[in-house]
């Protein structure tokens, strides 16, 4: 069984492959709490009064580490599948990041899912570019 450092290096390498598709992606290594929005939360827009179509709950998904980031996206590994367009909430352990996003890219691996999430709104002071 590989040690934790070896496993972490392998995860970072896997994420770096997806990061190559995101110009300006920078290694960041920020521990986060990842939550997932359940329900569609967007409604169907037809005004039919279906209350369940408008409900949206945020449920803890797992702790992970943002491996790479751009001003608009974050890339990380999870040990359960997320799908394209899934809605998530990202919160850093120190509270400096609290942002909603949507999954914009996914690479499925046997042991992990590599995910890119795009923020739904601009996040001030997330990554400062010169």
């Amino acid at each position: 069984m590989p040690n934790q450092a070896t496993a972490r290096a392998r995860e970072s390498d896997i994420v770096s492959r997806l990061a190559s598709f995101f110009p300006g992606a920078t290694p960041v290594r920020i521990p986060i709490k990842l939550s997932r929005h359940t329900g569609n939360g967007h409604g169907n827009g037809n005004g039919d009064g279906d209350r369940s179509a408008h409900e949206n709950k945020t449920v803890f998904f797992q702790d992970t580490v943002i491996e790479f980031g751009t001003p608009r996206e974050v890339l990380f590994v999870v040990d359960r599948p997320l799908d394209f367009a899934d809605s998530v909430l990202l919160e850093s352990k120190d509270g400096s990041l609290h942002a909603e996003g949507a999954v914009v890219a996914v690479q499925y691996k046997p042991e992990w899912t590599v995910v890119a999430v795009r923020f739904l709104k601009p996040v001030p002071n997330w990554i400062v570019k010169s």
Side-chain angles (χ1 to χ4, degrees):
M1 180 167 201
N3 67 33
Q4 189 170 355
T6 302
R8 175 51 85 205
R10 195 168 75 195
E11 286 179 21
S12 184
D13 182 52
I14 290 169
V15 178
S16 71
R17 292 181 203 153
L18 182 59
S20 68
F21 293 101
F22 292 85
T26 305
V28 292
R29 301 227 6 100
I30 300 171
I32 61 164
K33 172 183 155 186
L34 180 68
S35 299
R36 190 170 175 188
H37 292 298
T38 60
N40 76 15
H42 299 95
N44 56 16
N46 66 8
D48 65 3
D50 180 3
R51 189 171 193 276
S52 65
H54 300 282
E55 291 179 3
N56 197 357
K57 295 190 310 184
T58 301
V59 178
F60 174 75
F61 192 69
Q62 78 174 73
D63 290 320
T64 189
V65 174
I66 297 173
E67 298 286 350
F68 289 86
T70 75
R72 297 185 59 209
E73 295 96 7
V74 292
L75 293 88
F76 52 87
V77 171
V78 291
D79 60 12
R80 301 184 258 183
L82 280 172
D83 293 317
F84 185 76
D86 278 353
S87 182
V88 297
L89 175 66
L90 305 114
E91 299 173 281
S92 63
K93 304 285 183 168
D94 67 4
S96 62
L97 175 65
H98 182 92
E100 293 183 341
V103 175
V104 294
V106 179
Q107 288 184 344
Y108 297 103
K109 303 293 180 184
E111 300 155 8
W112 301 297
T113 302
V114 183
V115 179
V117 169
R118 180 166 293 140
F119 298 127
L120 297 181
K121 297 178 183 174
V123 178
N125 304 319
W126 160 237
I127 292 181
V128 178
K129 291 289 185 182
S130 55

